[in-house]
Amino acid sequence: MLSHVPLRQELAAALRWAARLGFQEGVDNHFSVAVPEENRFLVNPYGLLWSEVTASSLVLCDSSGEIIEGSHGVESTAFFIHAPLHEHGVRAVLHTHMPYATALTLVDGGRLEPCQQNALLFHGRIAYDDTYGGLALDRSEGERIAGALGGASVLMLGGHGVI
């Protein structure tokens, strides 16, 4: 019996909707949600497109990388990015390489300028990480990313994408 059904349904719906909006890029982008009070999180499985993910295919893992529930693996960069963010109190992590946002992260010193009223929704909520650390192949890159996010809700990752 799978645990955390409502969280599973919401995360699967978010992944499928993001795919519908054209944000899916292969099988190496990740969404995750922390499981309250358990030091665990749900994440999309490695090898499935977002459009293929179901609530039951999501993987439950702990902060050490152990898979608690799920028949698929977790792509290693997903674990190394998401686990430290959840440990720093981030409830949901949506990591994408959306074309226009990623293009902005490729511009040296690229910043979003709140130039109209609707942009005020993001005033003071965007952080910038201008250092691309390469593939997150260990916890140190995830810790660095978590530190760069600080108290913001959006992080533009230099040369990489968006969280």
PDB file of all heavy atoms in Angstrom, residues 76-105:
ATOM      1  N   SER A  76      20.579  10.525  -9.915  1.00  0.00           N
ATOM      2  CA  SER A  76      21.445  10.992  -8.824  1.00  0.00           C
ATOM      3  C   SER A  76      21.458  12.508  -8.673  1.00  0.00           C
ATOM      4  O   SER A  76      21.461  13.013  -7.547  1.00  0.00           O
ATOM      5  CB  SER A  76      22.866  10.462  -8.991  1.00  0.00           C
ATOM      6  OG  SER A  76      23.425  10.889 -10.211  1.00  0.00           O
ATOM      7  N   THR A  77      21.441  13.264  -9.774  1.00  0.00           N
ATOM      8  CA  THR A  77      21.452  14.719  -9.612  1.00  0.00           C
ATOM      9  C   THR A  77      20.165  15.207  -8.956  1.00  0.00           C
ATOM     10  O   THR A  77      20.177  16.202  -8.243  1.00  0.00           O
ATOM     11  CB  THR A  77      21.686  15.463 -10.948  1.00  0.00           C
ATOM     12  OG1 THR A  77      20.611  15.204 -11.840  1.00  0.00           O
ATOM     13  CG2 THR A  77      23.009  15.072 -11.567  1.00  0.00           C
ATOM     14  N   ALA A  78      19.061  14.487  -9.180  1.00  0.00           N
ATOM     15  CA  ALA A  78      17.804  14.857  -8.514  1.00  0.00           C
ATOM     16  C   ALA A  78      17.970  14.744  -7.009  1.00  0.00           C
ATOM     17  O   ALA A  78      17.589  15.640  -6.262  1.00  0.00           O
ATOM     18  CB  ALA A  78      16.658  13.959  -8.981  1.00  0.00           C
ATOM     19  N   PHE A  79      18.537  13.642  -6.569  1.00  0.00           N
ATOM     20  CA  PHE A  79      18.722  13.454  -5.136  1.00  0.00           C
ATOM     21  C   PHE A  79      19.654  14.525  -4.567  1.00  0.00           C
ATOM     22  O   PHE A  79      19.353  15.146  -3.558  1.00  0.00           O
ATOM     23  CB  PHE A  79      19.262  12.059  -4.825  1.00  0.00           C
ATOM     24  CG  PHE A  79      19.608  11.922  -3.391  1.00  0.00           C
ATOM     25  CD1 PHE A  79      18.606  11.796  -2.438  1.00  0.00           C
ATOM     26  CD2 PHE A  79      20.917  12.000  -2.968  1.00  0.00           C
ATOM     27  CE1 PHE A  79      18.918  11.729  -1.095  1.00  0.00           C
ATOM     28  CE2 PHE A  79      21.232  11.931  -1.633  1.00  0.00           C
ATOM     29  CZ  PHE A  79      20.233  11.792  -0.696  1.00  0.00           C
ATOM     30  N   PHE A  80      20.776  14.771  -5.209  1.00  0.00           N
ATOM     31  CA  PHE A  80      21.772  15.699  -4.667  1.00  0.00           C
ATOM     32  C   PHE A  80      21.305  17.151  -4.679  1.00  0.00           C
ATOM     33  O   PHE A  80      21.780  17.954  -3.883  1.00  0.00           O
ATOM     34  CB  PHE A  80      23.111  15.559  -5.403  1.00  0.00           C
ATOM     35  CG  PHE A  80      23.803  14.266  -5.117  1.00  0.00           C
ATOM     36  CD1 PHE A  80      24.276  13.481  -6.149  1.00  0.00           C
ATOM     37  CD2 PHE A  80      23.990  13.822  -3.820  1.00  0.00           C
ATOM     38  CE1 PHE A  80      24.918  12.279  -5.885  1.00  0.00           C
ATOM     39  CE2 PHE A  80      24.630  12.624  -3.543  1.00  0.00           C
ATOM     40  CZ  PHE A  80      25.101  11.851  -4.581  1.00  0.00           C
ATOM     41  N   ILE A  81      20.373  17.501  -5.552  1.00  0.00           N
ATOM     42  CA  ILE A  81      19.809  18.853  -5.550  1.00  0.00           C
ATOM     43  C   ILE A  81      18.643  18.953  -4.563  1.00  0.00           C
ATOM     44  O   ILE A  81      18.569  19.874  -3.760  1.00  0.00           O
ATOM     45  CB  ILE A  81      19.345  19.274  -6.965  1.00  0.00           C
ATOM     46  CG1 ILE A  81      20.556  19.464  -7.883  1.00  0.00           C
ATOM     47  CG2 ILE A  81      18.500  20.550  -6.912  1.00  0.00           C
ATOM     48  CD1 ILE A  81      20.198  19.699  -9.344  1.00  0.00           C
ATOM     49  N   HIS A  82      17.731  18.001  -4.602  1.00  0.00           N
ATOM     50  CA  HIS A  82      16.486  18.114  -3.847  1.00  0.00           C
ATOM     51  C   HIS A  82      16.636  17.839  -2.354  1.00  0.00           C
ATOM     52  O   HIS A  82      16.026  18.528  -1.546  1.00  0.00           O
ATOM     53  CB  HIS A  82      15.411  17.212  -4.466  1.00  0.00           C
ATOM     54  CG  HIS A  82      14.969  17.688  -5.807  1.00  0.00           C
ATOM     55  ND1 HIS A  82      13.712  18.196  -6.034  1.00  0.00           N
ATOM     56  CD2 HIS A  82      15.623  17.760  -6.994  1.00  0.00           C
ATOM     57  CE1 HIS A  82      13.609  18.553  -7.303  1.00  0.00           C
ATOM     58  NE2 HIS A  82      14.764  18.290  -7.908  1.00  0.00           N
ATOM     59  N   ALA A  83      17.411  16.836  -1.981  1.00  0.00           N
ATOM     60  CA  ALA A  83      17.534  16.495  -0.558  1.00  0.00           C
ATOM     61  C   ALA A  83      18.015  17.687   0.278  1.00  0.00           C
ATOM     62  O   ALA A  83      17.389  18.019   1.291  1.00  0.00           O
ATOM     63  CB  ALA A  83      18.434  15.281  -0.357  1.00  0.00           C
ATOM     64  N   PRO A  84      19.099  18.380  -0.105  1.00  0.00           N
ATOM     65  CA  PRO A  84      19.522  19.533   0.705  1.00  0.00           C
ATOM     66  C   PRO A  84      18.485  20.660   0.750  1.00  0.00           C
ATOM     67  O   PRO A  84      18.326  21.309   1.780  1.00  0.00           O
ATOM     68  CB  PRO A  84      20.810  20.007   0.025  1.00  0.00           C
ATOM     69  CG  PRO A  84      21.326  18.803  -0.680  1.00  0.00           C
ATOM     70  CD  PRO A  84      20.095  18.061  -1.137  1.00  0.00           C
ATOM     71  N   LEU A  85      17.779  20.880  -0.346  1.00  0.00           N
ATOM     72  CA  LEU A  85      16.747  21.918  -0.342  1.00  0.00           C
ATOM     73  C   LEU A  85      15.638  21.568   0.645  1.00  0.00           C
ATOM     74  O   LEU A  85      15.193  22.419   1.413  1.00  0.00           O
ATOM     75  CB  LEU A  85      16.185  22.127  -1.751  1.00  0.00           C
ATOM     76  CG  LEU A  85      17.115  22.883  -2.699  1.00  0.00           C
ATOM     77  CD1 LEU A  85      16.709  22.672  -4.143  1.00  0.00           C
ATOM     78  CD2 LEU A  85      17.139  24.364  -2.356  1.00  0.00           C
ATOM     79  N   HIS A  86      15.194  20.319   0.647  1.00  0.00           N
ATOM     80  CA  HIS A  86      14.165  19.902   1.602  1.00  0.00           C
ATOM     81  C   HIS A  86      14.683  19.980   3.038  1.00  0.00           C
ATOM     82  O   HIS A  86      13.951  20.382   3.940  1.00  0.00           O
ATOM     83  CB  HIS A  86      13.660  18.497   1.273  1.00  0.00           C
ATOM     84  CG  HIS A  86      12.843  18.441   0.027  1.00  0.00           C
ATOM     85  ND1 HIS A  86      11.727  19.229  -0.174  1.00  0.00           N
ATOM     86  CD2 HIS A  86      12.985  17.709  -1.101  1.00  0.00           C
ATOM     87  CE1 HIS A  86      11.216  18.974  -1.359  1.00  0.00           C
ATOM     88  NE2 HIS A  86      11.971  18.056  -1.940  1.00  0.00           N
ATOM     89  N   GLU A  87      15.936  19.635   3.250  1.00  0.00           N
ATOM     90  CA  GLU A  87      16.515  19.732   4.590  1.00  0.00           C
ATOM     91  C   GLU A  87      16.587  21.175   5.071  1.00  0.00           C
ATOM     92  O   GLU A  87      16.604  21.428   6.271  1.00  0.00           O
ATOM     93  CB  GLU A  87      17.897  19.090   4.621  1.00  0.00           C
ATOM     94  CG  GLU A  87      17.840  17.579   4.518  1.00  0.00           C
ATOM     95  CD  GLU A  87      19.203  16.949   4.354  1.00  0.00           C
ATOM     96  OE1 GLU A  87      20.221  17.665   4.310  1.00  0.00           O
ATOM     97  OE2 GLU A  87      19.254  15.705   4.256  1.00  0.00           O
ATOM     98  N   HIS A  88      16.633  22.119   4.134  1.00  0.00           N
ATOM     99  CA  HIS A  88      16.633  23.545   4.481  1.00  0.00           C
ATOM    100  C   HIS A  88      15.222  24.117   4.569  1.00  0.00           C
ATOM    101  O   HIS A  88      15.036  25.326   4.580  1.00  0.00           O
ATOM    102  CB  HIS A  88      17.470  24.335   3.476  1.00  0.00           C
ATOM    103  CG  HIS A  88      18.942  24.213   3.704  1.00  0.00           C
ATOM    104  ND1 HIS A  88      19.673  23.143   3.242  1.00  0.00           N
ATOM    105  CD2 HIS A  88      19.800  25.000   4.376  1.00  0.00           C
ATOM    106  CE1 HIS A  88      20.931  23.293   3.599  1.00  0.00           C
ATOM    107  NE2 HIS A  88      21.028  24.399   4.288  1.00  0.00           N
ATOM    108  N   GLY A  89      14.218  23.248   4.597  1.00  0.00           N
ATOM    109  CA  GLY A  89      12.848  23.699   4.831  1.00  0.00           C
ATOM    110  C   GLY A  89      12.022  24.003   3.604  1.00  0.00           C
ATOM    111  O   GLY A  89      10.896  24.493   3.725  1.00  0.00           O
ATOM    112  N   VAL A  90      12.527  23.725   2.413  1.00  0.00           N
ATOM    113  CA  VAL A  90      11.761  23.963   1.200  1.00  0.00           C
ATOM    114  C   VAL A  90      10.743  22.835   1.046  1.00  0.00           C
ATOM    115  O   VAL A  90      11.102  21.662   1.063  1.00  0.00           O
ATOM    116  CB  VAL A  90      12.675  24.038  -0.039  1.00  0.00           C
ATOM    117  CG1 VAL A  90      11.857  24.214  -1.307  1.00  0.00           C
ATOM    118  CG2 VAL A  90      13.690  25.163   0.123  1.00  0.00           C
ATOM    119  N   ARG A  91       9.489  23.188   0.922  1.00  0.00           N
ATOM    120  CA  ARG A  91       8.414  22.190   0.875  1.00  0.00           C
ATOM    121  C   ARG A  91       8.327  21.498  -0.480  1.00  0.00           C
ATOM    122  O   ARG A  91       8.233  20.282  -0.565  1.00  0.00           O
ATOM    123  CB  ARG A  91       7.087  22.882   1.219  1.00  0.00           C
ATOM    124  CG  ARG A  91       5.866  22.043   1.094  1.00  0.00           C
ATOM    125  CD  ARG A  91       5.755  21.040   2.231  1.00  0.00           C
ATOM    126  NE  ARG A  91       4.795  20.012   1.907  1.00  0.00           N
ATOM    127  CZ  ARG A  91       3.574  19.942   2.396  1.00  0.00           C
ATOM    128  NH1 ARG A  91       3.175  20.821   3.261  1.00  0.00           N
ATOM    129  NH2 ARG A  91       2.772  18.987   2.033  1.00  0.00           N
ATOM    130  N   ALA A  92       8.341  22.263  -1.558  1.00  0.00           N
ATOM    131  CA  ALA A  92       8.260  21.696  -2.905  1.00  0.00           C
ATOM    132  C   ALA A  92       9.368  22.277  -3.764  1.00  0.00           C
ATOM    133  O   ALA A  92       9.661  23.472  -3.676  1.00  0.00           O
ATOM    134  CB  ALA A  92       6.900  21.990  -3.531  1.00  0.00           C
ATOM    135  N   VAL A  93       9.986  21.427  -4.570  1.00  0.00           N
ATOM    136  CA  VAL A  93      11.066  21.854  -5.457  1.00  0.00           C
ATOM    137  C   VAL A  93      10.675  21.487  -6.880  1.00  0.00           C
ATOM    138  O   VAL A  93      10.459  20.315  -7.185  1.00  0.00           O
ATOM    139  CB  VAL A  93      12.409  21.173  -5.087  1.00  0.00           C
ATOM    140  CG1 VAL A  93      13.510  21.630  -6.033  1.00  0.00           C
ATOM    141  CG2 VAL A  93      12.783  21.453  -3.643  1.00  0.00           C
ATOM    142  N   LEU A  94      10.568  22.500  -7.717  1.00  0.00           N
ATOM    143  CA  LEU A  94      10.245  22.304  -9.127  1.00  0.00           C
ATOM    144  C   LEU A  94      11.454  22.784  -9.918  1.00  0.00           C
ATOM    145  O   LEU A  94      11.719  23.981  -9.976  1.00  0.00           O
ATOM    146  CB  LEU A  94       9.000  23.103  -9.520  1.00  0.00           C
ATOM    147  CG  LEU A  94       7.788  22.977  -8.594  1.00  0.00           C
ATOM    148  CD1 LEU A  94       6.658  23.872  -9.075  1.00  0.00           C
ATOM    149  CD2 LEU A  94       7.340  21.532  -8.466  1.00  0.00           C
ATOM    150  N   HIS A  95      12.192  21.851 -10.474  1.00  0.00           N
ATOM    151  CA  HIS A  95      13.416  22.196 -11.211  1.00  0.00           C
ATOM    152  C   HIS A  95      13.190  21.932 -12.693  1.00  0.00           C
ATOM    153  O   HIS A  95      12.884  20.811 -13.092  1.00  0.00           O
ATOM    154  CB  HIS A  95      14.590  21.362 -10.704  1.00  0.00           C
ATOM    155  CG  HIS A  95      15.842  21.565 -11.494  1.00  0.00           C
ATOM    156  ND1 HIS A  95      16.379  22.803 -11.741  1.00  0.00           N
ATOM    157  CD2 HIS A  95      16.653  20.676 -12.109  1.00  0.00           C
ATOM    158  CE1 HIS A  95      17.470  22.670 -12.468  1.00  0.00           C
ATOM    159  NE2 HIS A  95      17.651  21.381 -12.704  1.00  0.00           N
ATOM    160  N   THR A  96      13.302  22.990 -13.490  1.00  0.00           N
ATOM    161  CA  THR A  96      13.079  22.872 -14.928  1.00  0.00           C
ATOM    162  C   THR A  96      14.175  23.583 -15.701  1.00  0.00           C
ATOM    163  O   THR A  96      14.956  24.355 -15.144  1.00  0.00           O
ATOM    164  CB  THR A  96      11.728  23.482 -15.354  1.00  0.00           C
ATOM    165  OG1 THR A  96      11.807  24.902 -15.239  1.00  0.00           O
ATOM    166  CG2 THR A  96      10.577  22.945 -14.531  1.00  0.00           C
ATOM    167  N   HIS A  97      14.176  23.330 -16.983  1.00  0.00           N
ATOM    168  CA  HIS A  97      15.049  24.029 -17.920  1.00  0.00           C
ATOM    169  C   HIS A  97      14.152  24.693 -18.965  1.00  0.00           C
ATOM    170  O   HIS A  97      14.336  24.492 -20.166  1.00  0.00           O
ATOM    171  CB  HIS A  97      16.028  23.061 -18.573  1.00  0.00           C
ATOM    172  CG  HIS A  97      16.890  22.338 -17.603  1.00  0.00           C
ATOM    173  ND1 HIS A  97      17.121  20.992 -17.673  1.00  0.00           N
ATOM    174  CD2 HIS A  97      17.562  22.767 -16.515  1.00  0.00           C
ATOM    175  CE1 HIS A  97      17.911  20.622 -16.681  1.00  0.00           C
ATOM    176  NE2 HIS A  97      18.189  21.691 -15.960  1.00  0.00           N
ATOM    177  N   MET A  98      13.166  25.459 -18.490  1.00  0.00           N
ATOM    178  CA  MET A  98      12.240  26.138 -19.407  1.00  0.00           C
ATOM    179  C   MET A  98      13.051  27.012 -20.363  1.00  0.00           C
ATOM    180  O   MET A  98      13.961  27.721 -19.935  1.00  0.00           O
ATOM    181  CB  MET A  98      11.255  26.994 -18.625  1.00  0.00           C
ATOM    182  CG  MET A  98      10.353  26.202 -17.699  1.00  0.00           C
ATOM    183  SD  MET A  98       9.230  27.228 -16.740  1.00  0.00           S
ATOM    184  CE  MET A  98      10.379  28.053 -15.645  1.00  0.00           C
ATOM    185  N   PRO A  99      12.750  26.976 -21.651  1.00  0.00           N
ATOM    186  CA  PRO A  99      13.600  27.640 -22.639  1.00  0.00           C
ATOM    187  C   PRO A  99      13.864  29.118 -22.389  1.00  0.00           C
ATOM    188  O   PRO A  99      15.019  29.553 -22.428  1.00  0.00           O
ATOM    189  CB  PRO A  99      12.846  27.428 -23.958  1.00  0.00           C
ATOM    190  CG  PRO A  99      12.015  26.217 -23.728  1.00  0.00           C
ATOM    191  CD  PRO A  99      11.656  26.238 -22.278  1.00  0.00           C
ATOM    192  N   TYR A 100      12.850  29.913 -22.123  1.00  0.00           N
ATOM    193  CA  TYR A 100      13.069  31.350 -21.977  1.00  0.00           C
ATOM    194  C   TYR A 100      13.776  31.679 -20.663  1.00  0.00           C
ATOM    195  O   TYR A 100      14.675  32.516 -20.615  1.00  0.00           O
ATOM    196  CB  TYR A 100      11.750  32.124 -22.086  1.00  0.00           C
ATOM    197  CG  TYR A 100      11.088  31.946 -23.428  1.00  0.00           C
ATOM    198  CD1 TYR A 100       9.830  31.381 -23.542  1.00  0.00           C
ATOM    199  CD2 TYR A 100      11.740  32.333 -24.600  1.00  0.00           C
ATOM    200  CE1 TYR A 100       9.230  31.206 -24.775  1.00  0.00           C
ATOM    201  CE2 TYR A 100      11.146  32.163 -25.832  1.00  0.00           C
ATOM    202  CZ  TYR A 100       9.898  31.603 -25.923  1.00  0.00           C
ATOM    203  OH  TYR A 100       9.311  31.428 -27.142  1.00  0.00           O
ATOM    204  N   ALA A 101      13.392  31.014 -19.596  1.00  0.00           N
ATOM    205  CA  ALA A 101      14.044  31.254 -18.307  1.00  0.00           C
ATOM    206  C   ALA A 101      15.487  30.785 -18.356  1.00  0.00           C
ATOM    207  O   ALA A 101      16.392  31.470 -17.859  1.00  0.00           O
ATOM    208  CB  ALA A 101      13.280  30.545 -17.186  1.00  0.00           C
ATOM    209  N   THR A 102      15.732  29.638 -18.968  1.00  0.00           N
ATOM    210  CA  THR A 102      17.099  29.135 -19.078  1.00  0.00           C
ATOM    211  C   THR A 102      17.937  30.067 -19.940  1.00  0.00           C
ATOM    212  O   THR A 102      19.108  30.311 -19.638  1.00  0.00           O
ATOM    213  CB  THR A 102      17.115  27.702 -19.642  1.00  0.00           C
ATOM    214  OG1 THR A 102      16.368  26.868 -18.751  1.00  0.00           O
ATOM    215  CG2 THR A 102      18.527  27.163 -19.762  1.00  0.00           C
ATOM    216  N   ALA A 103      17.349  30.622 -20.985  1.00  0.00           N
ATOM    217  CA  ALA A 103      18.072  31.580 -21.821  1.00  0.00           C
ATOM    218  C   ALA A 103      18.537  32.767 -20.986  1.00  0.00           C
ATOM    219  O   ALA A 103      19.671  33.241 -21.144  1.00  0.00           O
ATOM    220  CB  ALA A 103      17.200  32.044 -22.981  1.00  0.00           C
ATOM    221  N   LEU A 104      17.700  33.224 -20.074  1.00  0.00           N
ATOM    222  CA  LEU A 104      18.092  34.338 -19.212  1.00  0.00           C
ATOM    223  C   LEU A 104      19.255  33.941 -18.307  1.00  0.00           C
ATOM    224  O   LEU A 104      20.141  34.751 -18.037  1.00  0.00           O
ATOM    225  CB  LEU A 104      16.904  34.810 -18.367  1.00  0.00           C
ATOM    226  CG  LEU A 104      17.160  36.022 -17.485  1.00  0.00           C
ATOM    227  CD1 LEU A 104      17.531  37.235 -18.328  1.00  0.00           C
ATOM    228  CD2 LEU A 104      15.958  36.322 -16.622  1.00  0.00           C
ATOM    229  N   THR A 105      19.294  32.682 -17.858  1.00  0.00           N
ATOM    230  CA  THR A 105      20.399  32.251 -16.988  1.00  0.00           C
ATOM    231  C   THR A 105      21.712  32.146 -17.745  1.00  0.00           C
ATOM    232  O   THR A 105      22.775  32.065 -17.130  1.00  0.00           O
ATOM    233  CB  THR A 105      20.100  30.887 -16.306  1.00  0.00           C
ATOM    234  OG1 THR A 105      20.166  29.839 -17.267  1.00  0.00           O
ATOM    235  CG2 THR A 105      18.764  30.898 -15.594  1.00  0.00           C
TER     236      THR A 105
END
